[in-house]
Amino acid sequence: MKSTEHNAFLNEAMETLNRIDKENRHLTQLGWFLQTALRRFDRNYLDRRKPQVIVLGDDIPAELLYAVCDDPFYVLGGSLGTAHWADELTPRDTDPLSRSALGWLVNPAFDLTENALIVTAVSSDSRRKLISVLQSGGRKVAALDIPPNQSPNAVHYYTEQLTELAGQIGKHTGKRFSGSNLKRAVKRVANARSQRRRFLTAALSAGSIISDEAVLLAVQCMLFADDLEEWCAHIRALGEELEQLGRQYAFSQKDRPKVMILGSPIVFPNFKVPQLISSAGMDITAVADSLSLGASVVTPKAGVFASADALLQQIAQTHLKTISSGARVSNDGLYSYFKYLVKRLHPDGIVCHILKGQIEYDFELPRIERAAEKLDIPVFRLETDYQYQDMEQLWIRMEAFGEMLTQRKIVRNKRRRTA
Amino acid sequence: MTDNRQGTPEERRKQRFFNKSAATSVKYLRKIDELPHKPASLDPFLNILKHVFVDMQGAVKPAGTLSVGTYCVMVPPELIYAAGAMPVKLCGGSYTAFNIGDDIAPRDACPLVKAVMGFESIGVMPVYRECELMAVPITCDCKKKLAGYLSERRKTVTLHVPTGRSRDGDMEHYVKELYQFSEELTKITGKPLSYERLSWACGLTAAAQYELSRFIELRRRAPLVIKGTHYLAALNALSYTHVSIWTQYMRALCDETERRIQNGEMASKENRPRILVTGSPIVFPNFKLPLLIEEMGGALVADETCMGERGAYDPPAIADQTTDGIMRALANKSTRPCTCPTFTDNKRRVYRIMQMLEDYGVQGVIYHVLRGCLVYDYEYRVLEEEMGKLGIPIIRVESDYNEEDVEQLRIRVEAFIELIKYGRGGDTAVRLRKGQR
């Protein structure tokens, strides 16, 4: 590989990190997150890391993963550089997220897959064919087939597969799948998710003290960190810093329109959409994508005497009910989460982010639009890929959307005052 | 000014749909009909297509038989016949319906699904309207979302097709899905699942499969005895016909083909490049690709698509003569030998195609990709590599449900046929036919 290629791969991450760093210099606790994210693009780290288990995507229940593996290595996509590496292996219409995820695993620069078991869920057409590409390339893959509905047969099949998958991973890592391991994992994951929720609440009240991109990065580092407990400690510290700064200083709270992002996942380093939203004068109040929904799932409480099977059954049911992915005939998980967030946060507008090729989100758009129309919330469909050439065009559209939301806000406030 | 137009705007819209859709179907039926060396016994098949797409009538079936719409070959027809209904394969190929569906489905959805959504939305085609139940196997993202769309409007059953085939659990799961489907069928027909009914239905489809395998064998012996377009039309007609009626027509076609082989009457000259079509399904009236191949001097000798041979060539292997035994055999038959790219490991598709190259003396492969059909597109690379090793030329042809690209496709197909004629392909085909890899 030419060094320029690796530079392009690293530069994209550096650019996003520099921007976040510049906007949030006053946050000392953010440094760890910037370092963690940057490490993912450091060739030495990637050569050294040699993960035992690579998790492709975010559809596998985290409780199960941590029960049989101490440090799963998540590959989510997000990088234009890795997407380029997979160009020749994928058809033209493949979505950039899948392309990028494949590029992380098959590339001329580093090999993460050596001796690793790749674990993934068959949640879309791309994913099912990526498995075949990886297997034909000699990689070891364990797949989880997600049923498209919630019938008892589907729950049974899903649970059965989870058990088998846990066994497969356990055999690879040497960590046996047992009730006690699963209970410990449930506790670890529940703690991490609770820290995440606490931090998001703190970030929401902190307003302009922390930028939206920084919030996204800090939260996403949960999947990038090598040690979950370390992430928990740092996110707690960052949350406390935000609260402290909020108490100490009077940061100006601008009355900017609040938008919610929904649809295709936004993965570091491609923070194009949050960047556009911020530069068009709006704030992100929430993100409703598969990543955030997955992390917001409330883990079932493990009873002292609960067996591994009973607990797994509970996990399967919860995940199958709440999972937000194109794998479902009707993506009720995402829809309910969207409705919950709207009710709780009252966004002024919704940005429906669709990565080119992820048609499952496009299919779901009319349902979201109908629900938003009833609530009188404008929806803006933003289709893009990982290229940066369309930034200017998107910015113009986004700015127009922002202006429209501002106008609506002014009119609404005026009406309220008159009344 | 007075409005002299008759009917409401909606009625006029529906009438326009009828007219446009029928006009396209008439055009393609005429083209199929005008292809030289058409066997006389093909007429009943063309009449079925005319009955459904031009005369706008329902499926061809005995009076009083209920219709069940299916959207994939993975729904075993035996189960539906056993319940006293008949399956109607509703995957759409209509350009007119596609245009309507284009406004409903996302831009990048595949045209087949857009056509189905268009048909469903306009709600005038009797063959769609008369279906009491829709069965949608989940084989790709578009079918998945199509199931959601249909379930908001019609009684719909989804069948989860496992993406793997190696585990016993996968097969077990599909058997359970079939049992659930059977329960839904019983609800609409009132006829419970029984061993007698199931084995009767298996006999019914086995007769059709026997005739089809006879035909395939004849064609294997003499690949040029019938035009590929004619063969595809006959197989497309199966989607809208009761299997007992189709079997009679197929028997007549086999008899005529046999006579032709004995008399040495071939539909194409020996020196015509022999082409195999694989990839996305070719659904009537979207017959532009097979027609182009044969108009440009190629001989379409074989197809590996789910609207063609793949849909009907495997009878269930019943080892256990019980209801459950038959159900398992049906689940096995529908998934295990299937070469659909829905499965993560689909090497058998490559093996199947390689077998077909040998059986039919194929000199070139045309890989048909409907725009947005990602799963087929992924598999092109693998096939291209394998064909490269064998020295068989292959091209990827991407197309949509409209006629705007016909001329571009014509140029590409013509160039491909010339490449085979004057270049490589011929020697490899001869070697393969002689069994020398």
Side-chain angles (χ1 to χ4, degrees), chain A residues 208-382:
Chain A
S208 58
I209 300 177
I210 184 166
S211 75
D212 293 332
E213 285 183 77
V215 175
L216 267 176
L217 180 80
V219 165
Q220 224 160 79
C221 276
M222 181 177 164
L223 302 175
F224 297 155
D226 287 338
D227 184 351
L228 193 62
E229 275 66 40
E230 201 183 349
W231 176 82
C232 286
H234 284 280
I235 202 84
R236 196 185 309 124
L238 183 61
E240 281 166 5
E241 188 180 10
L242 288 180
E243 283 166 357
Q244 201 185 355
L245 284 171
R247 280 194 297 269
Q248 279 178 350
Y249 305 101
F251 279 86
S252 61
Q253 296 275 358
K254 287 178 196 158
D255 192 21
R256 309 204 310 173
K258 290 183 186 69
V259 292
M260 184 167 109
I261 307 176
L262 186 137
S264 300
I266 295 164
V267 181
F268 175 80
N270 200 293
F271 277 180
K272 208 164 120 174
V273 178
Q275 188 194 350
L276 278 168
I277 292 173
S278 298
S279 60
M282 292 178 278
D283 287 333
I284 300 168
T285 184
V287 180
D289 60 10
S290 57
L291 286 174
S292 51
L293 179 54
S296 71
V297 170
V298 180
T299 323
K301 274 187 186 155
V304 186
F305 301 109
S307 68
D309 287 345
L311 200 52
L312 200 64
Q313 175 97 20
Q314 268 182 302
I315 293 170
Q317 269 175 349
T318 316
H319 270 265
L320 214 47
K321 204 169 145 193
T322 48
I323 198 166
S324 152
S325 96
R328 317 309 303 279
V329 165
S330 172
N331 198 345
D332 293 330
L334 182 70
Y335 185 70
S336 330
Y337 189 50
F338 149 77
K339 288 192 91 168
Y340 160 75
L341 287 175
V342 166
K343 202 173 163 188
R344 196 167 75 93
L345 302 167
H346 308 288
D348 298 309
I350 293 161
V351 173
C352 194
H353 169 230
I354 289 161
L355 280 175
K356 243 170 229 171
Q358 290 203 325
I359 51 166
E360 53 269 33
Y361 293 107
D362 236 349
F363 266 108
E364 279 151 21
L365 185 61
R367 191 180 181 196
I368 301 287
E369 278 176 337
R370 279 197 300 271
E373 198 183 335
K374 273 187 199 161
L375 298 162
D376 193 28
I377 304 172
V379 178
F380 173 67
R381 178 183 176 278
L382 187 140

Side-chain angles (χ1 to χ4, degrees), chain B residues 46-100:
Chain B
L46 298 185
N47 286 340
I48 292 166
L49 296 176
K50 183 172 171 282
H51 178 82
V52 174
F53 292 101
V54 180
D55 304 337
M56 300 293 176
Q57 303 295 312
V60 180
K61 57 185 178 179
T65 313
L66 295 177
S67 292
V68 173
T70 65
Y71 288 90
C72 180
V73 293
M74 281 186 232
V75 183
E78 291 85 353
L79 210 54
I80 302 171
Y81 284 118
M86 81 159 263
V88 184
K89 223 190 274 174
L90 293 178
C91 292
S94 163
Y95 302 160
T96 323
F98 160 77
N99 285 331
I100 296 169

Side-chain angles (χ1 to χ4, degrees), chain A residues 180-225:
Chain A
S180 53
N181 279 344
L182 187 58
K183 274 178 217 164
R184 254 196 304 276
V186 167
K187 263 190 199 163
R188 277 180 81 185
V189 173
N191 177 41
R193 284 178 184 163
S194 126
Q195 294 297 342
R196 181 186 174 275
R197 276 193 295 274
R198 205 172 297 165
F199 168 73
L200 284 176
T201 314
L204 207 62
S205 10
S208 58
I209 300 177
I210 184 166
S211 75
D212 293 332
E213 285 183 77
V215 175
L216 267 176
L217 180 80
V219 165
Q220 224 160 79
C221 276
M222 181 177 164
L223 302 175
F224 297 155

